[in-house]
Amino acid sequence: MNQSTSDEIRSGAHAPQRRSGLRGHAWLTLLTVAVGVMMVALDGTIVAIANPALTQDFDASLADIQWVTNSYLLALAVFLITAGKIGDRYGHRNTFLVGAVGFAASSAAIGSADSIREVIAFRVLQGLFGALLQPAALGLLRGVFPPDKLNMAIGIWGGVIGASTAAGPIVGGLLVEHAGWESVFFINVPVGAAALVLGLLILRDVRVENAVRSFDIGGILLLSAAMFLLVWGVIKAPDWGWGEASTLAFLLGALLTGMIFTLWQTKAEEPLIPLNLFRAVSLSAGIIFMILMSFSFLGAIFFVTFYLQNIHGMSPVESGINLLPMTGMMIVGSPIAGLIIGKIGPRLPIVGGMALVTISMIGLSTLKTDSGTGTLSLWFVLMGLGLSPGMVGATEVIVGHAPLKLSGVAGGMQQAAMQVGGSLGTAVLGALMAAKVDDVLPGNWAKAGLPPLEPTQYEQVKQAIQVGAAPVTEDTPSQAIPVITQVAHDSFMAGMNLTFGVSAVIAAAAGALAMLTRRRSTSATGS
């Protein structure tokens, strides 16, 4: 490691792996940051299992439920880069501790919410505190691990993120089934308390020597505006119409704001995203890959819980168990993927993994209302095995190809790419679902011989079918219930099959892009 590298970290960049006492112990530091990051990663998917219960309790629309996910993901993604710079300026230990306390407190507020609007508002706050945890965790690891052990630590850290993300549906199913949807958020309180106690006892402060003295407020506002305009325009497009002026205004506004943001970055004294990072082709490809992979995976999985619970009539815990083949393969596959990538580089494992994801998405696009659990398990196993090298490899590519002085920014960008991709995937595929249901529902309804619907009735029926629910009430004649249920399920399946088909195309594109990645050179770590 060269002189510029040794000057970047004020506290113990070359600290020995073992120290007297707890403070700054490398492996205990890894344990501590893993507990904190686990909360953030778990929340990215655990809420999906609670979506049907939230829909019922708050009489929420599909757009409302999408914003329960999108508000968290967007707040997390937009603030991650800034959070990395906050850690550089004020210390990664302090940043981590504030993030852990704030994340646990906002989680408790969500569990106590009285309306879907309160849930969404506190999810934004939760995302902001979650963003403080992730870059701080990576900064702390780089400060206590010697160079020859750092790759192993980053691999385990990435495995914790992958395993926590994968475990979300299982944990969520158990909690919703036995303690209600509120417990999905209350579980973060004891975990956050554990992260705080461990952090106070173990973490040693790490910060960049030449810390930033200003923040790119303009960049933060421009990026936030661009993402809001994009996702809001996509979500509302099914209601407004894709060709309507309102939709086009939001999408064009997102494009223009993004262009202004890029120009601003070339002028800002301390840019939110230094554009010279993208001179590394592998890093740029890794970021775009992470967006596409998360788009495909998180966007498609959004509808799986509705399929299992509303089409197959499973309980939350049963639906979680049916996702176990995927989650189990991700937990087992992540460390194996890290080992393989360490030996042969990231390119082939990532490409091969995305081929498996593409095949699984194509298989899931052929599901029917009566598809058996064996068929589901096959596709979920392939998806879990394919996602593992993608997640581990993309993290290695992005962080490894950034110079050390920009490691916090690179770590933030890696996580931001994942969160943005998931948010956009949920929004875009949700819009496609709504559009497809709107396209096939009138014909299916008429073919079944059901009486015509008034415009208001039609909108209510369509909203229910978009989440796989049969629009029947206590007043519905008993002989009409099975007919309406069949129409609802057929219309929902048409939409879900479309979303998986699109996800397969996105996954294939991500695999093709991974051909541009390569093993990081030793100079990359110190430049």
Side-chain angles (χ1 to χ4, degrees):
M1 189 173 288
N2 59 27
Q3 182 63 36
S4 64
T5 299
S6 63
D7 288 342
E8 285 183 3
I9 304 296
R10 175 184 299 176
S11 178
H14 302 290
Q17 181 177 334
R18 295 187 180 276
R19 301 174 59 89
S20 58
L22 298 178
R23 183 77 67 186
H25 189 285
W27 294 107
L28 291 179
T29 296
L30 175 58
L31 171 65
T32 302
V33 300
V35 172
V37 169
M38 180 179 65
M39 289 193 301
V40 183
L42 193 65
D43 251 59
T45 54
I46 193 173
V47 179
I49 287 291
N51 281 337
L54 282 166
T55 302
Q56 183 176 0
D57 279 12
F58 292 120
D59 193 24
S61 66
L62 176 63
D64 290 332
I65 294 301
Q66 284 180 313
W67 272 108
V68 171
T69 299
N70 288 334
S71 60
Y72 172 79
L73 294 176
L74 282 174
L76 186 66
V78 168
F79 194 54
L80 275 165
I81 309 301
T82 304
K85 293 196 173 185
I86 290 174
D88 291 339
R89 176 67 177 86
Y90 297 105
H92 294 299
R93 177 179 184 267
N94 296 334
T95 305
F96 181 88
L97 294 177
V98 170
V101 173
F103 195 90
S106 56
S107 297
I110 295 171
S112 304
D114 295 322
S115 69
I116 195 66
R117 294 184 183 275
E118 289 185 15
V119 170
I120 294 170
F122 286 124
R123 283 283 277 173
V124 172
L125 193 61
Q126 188 187 43
L128 294 176
F129 282 112
L132 291 173
L133 286 167
Q134 307 237 35
L138 184 58
L140 287 164
L141 293 180
R142 299 198 76 157
V144 298
F145 274 92
D148 61 329
K149 299 293 185 182
L150 184 57
N151 286 336
M152 182 185 301
I154 292 176
I156 296 174
W157 176 77
V160 169
I161 293 177
S164 300
T165 301
I170 299 295
V171 176
L174 292 170
L175 290 174
V176 172
E177 176 76 7
H178 297 290
W181 66 264
E182 297 88 348
S183 61
V184 165
F185 300 101
F186 286 140
I187 190 65
N188 289 326
V189 176
V191 178
L196 175 62
V197 172
L198 289 171
L200 290 172
L201 293 174
I202 295 167
L203 298 182
R204 177 165 49 83
D205 194 27
V206 176
R207 68 182 73 189
V208 174
E209 181 67 31
N210 298 318
V212 296
R213 300 298 174 184
S214 62
F215 293 100
D216 184 12
I217 302 300
I220 294 171
L221 295 176
L222 286 169
L223 182 60
S224 300
M227 291 306 305
F228 173 80
L229 290 170
L230 174 63
V231 177
W232 184 257
V234 170
I235 287 178
K236 298 299 291 184
D239 297 329
W240 292 340
W242 286 97
E244 294 298 316
S246 298
T247 303
L248 296 177
F250 271 86
L251 298 180
L252 182 60
L255 177 62
L256 293 176
T257 307
M259 294 172 63
I260 296 171
F261 167 77
T262 302
L263 179 62
W264 179 274
Q265 297 304 279
T266 66
K267 308 295 184 182
E269 180 181 355
E270 293 287 350
L272 182 63
I273 302 177
L275 298 183
N276 60 1
L277 273 177
F278 298 101
R279 293 175 183 172
V281 175
S282 287
L283 184 145
S284 300
I287 291 172
I288 299 173
F289 169 85
M290 183 65 79
I291 292 174
L292 294 178
M293 182 186 68
S294 299
F295 182 110
S296 175
F297 166 51
L298 296 176
I301 291 299
F302 178 79
F303 291 102
V304 168
T305 55
F306 292 118
Y307 171 74
L308 294 174
Q309 294 183 37
N310 292 338
I311 301 297
H312 278 270
M314 295 182 183
S315 66
V317 69
E318 288 173 335
S319 62
I321 290 173
N322 273 268
L323 289 172
L324 184 59
M326 179 183 68
T327 58
M329 289 301 100
M330 290 182 71
I331 293 170
V332 172
S334 291
I336 296 175
L339 180 64
I340 295 174
I341 290 170
K343 290 182 177 297
I344 68 174
R347 182 183 299 163
L348 291 179
I350 295 177
V351 171
M354 294 315 295
L356 292 179
V357 173
T358 301
I359 293 171
S360 69
M361 290 293 183
I362 293 173
L364 290 169
S365 71
T366 65
L367 289 177
K368 304 181 184 306
T369 56
D370 58 351
S371 294
T373 56
T375 301
L376 281 172
S377 296
L378 171 63
W379 304 130
F380 287 157
V381 165
L382 291 180
M383 184 180 295
L385 288 175
L387 288 170
S388 298
M391 289 186 176
V392 175
T395 301
E396 171 72 12
V397 166
I398 296 170
V399 175
H401 282 82
L404 273 174
K405 64 181 180 180
L406 295 175
S407 61
V409 172
M413 289 173 63
Q414 183 267 348
Q415 283 299 303
M418 181 175 178
Q419 305 304 337
V420 168
S423 178
L424 291 177
T426 303
V428 171
L429 297 182
L432 290 176
M433 163 66 82
K436 185 64 176 180
V437 169
D438 194 28
D439 179 53
V440 302
L441 176 58
N444 289 345
W445 193 270
K447 187 183 300 183
L450 295 168
L453 297 170
E454 298 293 330
T456 302
Q457 292 176 315
Y458 177 79
E459 288 301 317
Q460 293 174 343
V461 167
K462 184 176 68 173
Q463 288 286 339
I465 292 175
Q466 286 172 15
V467 295
V472 298
T473 66
E474 295 179 354
D475 299 328
T476 303
S478 58
Q479 65 271 22
I481 291 178
V483 179
I484 294 174
T485 300
Q486 187 63 49
V487 169
H489 289 179
D490 289 344
S491 300
F492 173 82
M493 292 304 301
M496 194 185 78
N497 291 341
L498 173 64
T499 64
F500 277 118
V502 173
S503 293
V505 174
I506 299 298
L513 184 67
M515 292 297 296
L516 298 177
T517 62
R518 61 179 176 83
R519 185 192 299 268
R520 64 189 175 101
S521 63
T522 56
S523 61
T525 63
S527 59

